[in-house]
Amino acid sequence: MPRPAHIPIFNLFGETTAFPDVVHCEAVLDRAGLHGWVISPHRHTQMAQVFQISSGVAQVTLDGVERQLEPGQYLYIPPQIVHGFAFSRGTEGTVLSIPSPVVARLGPKTPALSAWLRASQHGALSEDAGVLLTSVVQAYAGNGNFRAQRLVSLTHALLAALADESTAETPSPKDPNRQMQQLDALITGHLAEGWSARDYASALHVTTGHLNRVVRGAAGMSLTAYLETAVMTEACRLIAFTRLPVAEVGYRLGYADPPYFSRRFRLRMGETPSAYRARVSGERAAE
């Protein structure tokens, strides 16, 4: 099957129309069954999802990394992550799709919660979280003057419960603060424009030195390294999941000089873009 010219972006898989509800619930079989139990790699720019499996198994690809989703487990996927699934036939479970504005309203914000919401999460679904997920599904199927408010409130309670349980034994990160959230949003919006560290600092109305200290505290690396990591992560996605020429990938990410892009990619990833594409394509073909 040929790779697309770009990574498909959907509201719900296979749909590009407006998001159908304030929060969307559906059974795994309602959508996966329509696609032969295989959901090809795609991403959502303005939507997070929670998957829960009650029976069957799902092989999941998250930005090219494989993992398995088993009965009694959940998977949280934030926006922008390229993901795909291969479900065993007849798999049962629930898919909860949450628009980014709904996720963003979950508060009050803390560094630990912000960090949790920005990354993919995978773990056992506790009894308490399972009850909340069931309540979300029931509210979605119901009606009433305040159905939307109930859906949002229950979804927030579910996300908070999942985050609380998965971080209960993990020290809270010291750092991810509002400026990091704003920086990540700017990176997403200006990834293809070749912005420099100074551009991002200017957009946040801080000095480059201040932003560098914030990033170093939050991510353990310099601002320049953090920005290049974001660019190269997107480059890996485009090289692995599209048929775009390597030079075009570089152009899309702000590199006007293809050889320079290839050198930076090799320095960061340990192999050339062409070698990376060949290796990832071979691994995927062998699966």
Side-chain angles (χ1 to χ4, degrees), residues 11-285:
N11 289 320
L12 298 172
F13 182 77
E15 298 181 8
T16 55
T17 55
F19 197 82
D21 210 332
V22 63
V23 171
H24 183 77
C25 290
E26 64 184 12
V28 167
L29 62 85
D30 287 345
R31 193 163 300 268
L34 294 176
H35 295 277
W37 299 98
V38 175
I39 303 297
S40 57
H42 62 287
R43 63 177 163 189
H44 311 286
T45 59
Q46 294 295 322
M47 184 177 77
Q49 291 186 301
V50 175
F51 291 80
Q52 170 266 337
I53 296 295
S54 53
S55 67
V57 174
Q59 297 297 327
V60 187
T61 303
L62 296 174
D63 274 347
V65 178
E66 299 289 332
R67 65 179 63 184
Q68 185 164 289
L69 185 59
E70 300 178 344
Q73 296 184 330
Y74 78 92
L75 175 68
Y76 167 80
I77 304 177
Q80 298 295 343
I81 299 294
V82 178
H83 56 284
F85 298 87
F87 295 95
S88 59
R89 186 168 294 276
T91 294
E92 295 185 358
T94 301
V95 183
L96 181 62
S97 300
I98 315 161
S100 293
V102 173
V103 177
R105 290 202 297 271
L106 175 57
K109 286 287 188 297
T110 66
L113 178 60
S114 297
W116 192 92
L117 291 171
R118 286 203 304 266
S120 59
Q121 310 290 341
H122 177 211
L125 187 73
S126 70
E127 182 177 350
D128 288 345
V131 169
L132 286 168
L133 180 59
T134 298
S135 296
V136 173
V137 174
Q138 291 173 341
Y140 180 80
N143 50 38
N145 293 333
F146 304 107
R147 172 182 174 276
Q149 288 82 355
R150 291 174 58 204
L151 267 175
V152 170
S153 296
L154 288 167
T155 299
H156 282 175
L158 172 63
L159 291 175
L162 294 176
D164 194 34
E165 291 163 4
S166 65
T167 60
E169 299 178 0
T170 303
S172 297
K174 305 173 183 177
D175 25 82
N177 54 25
R178 182 168 177 77
Q179 285 182 324
M180 283 299 295
Q181 297 170 34
Q182 293 172 328
L183 174 61
D184 287 339
L186 284 172
I187 292 172
T188 299
H190 300 279
L191 200 60
E193 297 174 25
W195 273 27
S196 67
R198 179 175 297 179
D199 293 323
Y200 285 104
S202 177
L204 291 172
H205 307 291
V206 298
T207 66
T208 304
H210 173 81
L211 188 56
N212 187 65
R213 288 190 293 273
V214 169
V215 172
R216 192 174 290 280
M221 65 179 75
S222 70
L223 173 58
T224 300
Y226 188 78
L227 296 175
E228 187 169 58
T229 297
V231 171
M232 290 305 168
T233 297
E234 180 67 7
C236 287
R237 291 168 178 161
L238 292 172
I239 291 169
F241 295 105
T242 78
R243 61 172 183 270
L244 288 170
V246 170
E248 178 62 23
V249 172
Y251 291 140
R252 290 193 178 198
L253 296 174
Y255 288 87
D257 182 2
Y260 180 70
F261 167 68
S262 294
R263 287 197 300 272
R264 295 306 304 173
F265 186 93
R266 182 174 184 174
L267 184 63
R268 175 68 60 170
M269 305 305 300
E271 58 188 330
T272 66
S274 297
Y276 177 81
R277 172 170 279 168
R279 178 174 62 80
V280 173
S281 297
E283 291 174 354
R284 292 173 64 194

